[in-house]
Amino acid sequence: MMHLGLRVTYALALVNGALAIPSQQLDIRQQPFKSTAITDHAEPWAFAFLPDNRVLVTERRGNLRIVDPATKSKGTITGVPTVAYGGQGGLHDIALHPKYAENSIVYISYAESGTGGAGGAVARAKLTLNANGGSLSGLEVIWRHSQKASGGLQFACRLLFGPDEALWISSGEINQMTPAQSMTGNLGKMIKLYDNGTAFAGNPFASQGAIQAQIWSLGHRNPLGIDWDAQGRLWEVEMGPMGGDELNLIEPGKNYGWPLVSEGRHYDGRTIPQHSTRPDFAPPKAFWVPVISPAGLIIYKGNLFSSWKGNAIITGLSSQSIVRVTITGDTAKEAQRISMGKRMRGIREDKDGAIWVIEDGASGRLLKLTPN
């Protein structure tokens, strides 16, 4: 895989050349919200809301910050493990335990070094807060990629707790491609676990072995956004290669085809069969050629942006945009692309229905979006 900055070059080639494939018709408008800057961060990746309205923000070099939106101040959380910073790797996602108010446990995902290079890991720890920051203690690694690789690419490792309090991990294939189809490893998979890291009972491949028991779906490339809709269905966005970014409806036991099928091409120009050639693989509900480089996803559930309820809201890196996709039953279609002028990384919805996003890069801002 090429670095993400080169995806823009490839996108332009797709637009101007014979490879161009029409995407959905776009409704490009002036920003339909007020954007309030809260804090800025060094290469931020993700954030999570605490019950006291403060915000935890991960920075890719391995820093965990705590932000007070009321004062726009930020402190530091100590006790973060050493991360493998480089390429796309570093400190990634953060999520609160469903019973955080009782146990103060948080989960982090990150790239860690080891034999063969780096791979993704997920750990949990107790968070103790003070007026200016806090600390992690009792850190325990509960899940790891089953192999490591050089290059520092495509770790993914978004974290999400489900309605049944299961922990979901979106596992990237660390630019190894073929392991996404292998049932002897957990790369390129959607993973469903209990909060302690053991495989969730009833997973579709539970009878096939310890690794297989973790797996909910397979054939994923770089799944960087996951969220639930109001019907309890899991949606996912992932980066394709040279074209072919995908929005998928994730169903148990299904194979989404990577690297055997894609709506894009390899970076060296080699063709990949499209999903239509293999009906045994689950096709995306929406895809993008040229790419948007999706980095985060929410299915909007609030009332502040009432016309967006039930829509997928996706942050885009190379597209420097927020992409809104309408979902009707099992179908999805891009409805609006909002230019942000910056590479957009994380996205979450707060308890009041405001949408928060965070920019990618050296001085990425945490932004609160509310209706105009």
Side-chain angles (χ1 to χ4, degrees), residues 42 44 154 200 277 339:
Q154 294 160 211
F200 202 85
T277 67
S339 176

Side-chain angles (χ1 to χ4, degrees), residues 192-205:
K192 184 180 183 183
L193 308 173
Y194 288 106
D195 63 352
N196 64 359
T198 58
F200 202 85
N203 281 356
F205 305 105

Side-chain angles (χ1 to χ4, degrees), residues 198-221:
T198 58
F200 202 85
N203 281 356
F205 305 105
S207 63
Q208 298 183 19
I211 287 284
Q212 294 88 339
Q214 305 174 5
I215 298 169
W216 187 258
S217 64
L218 65 152
H220 300 290
R221 186 174 183 268

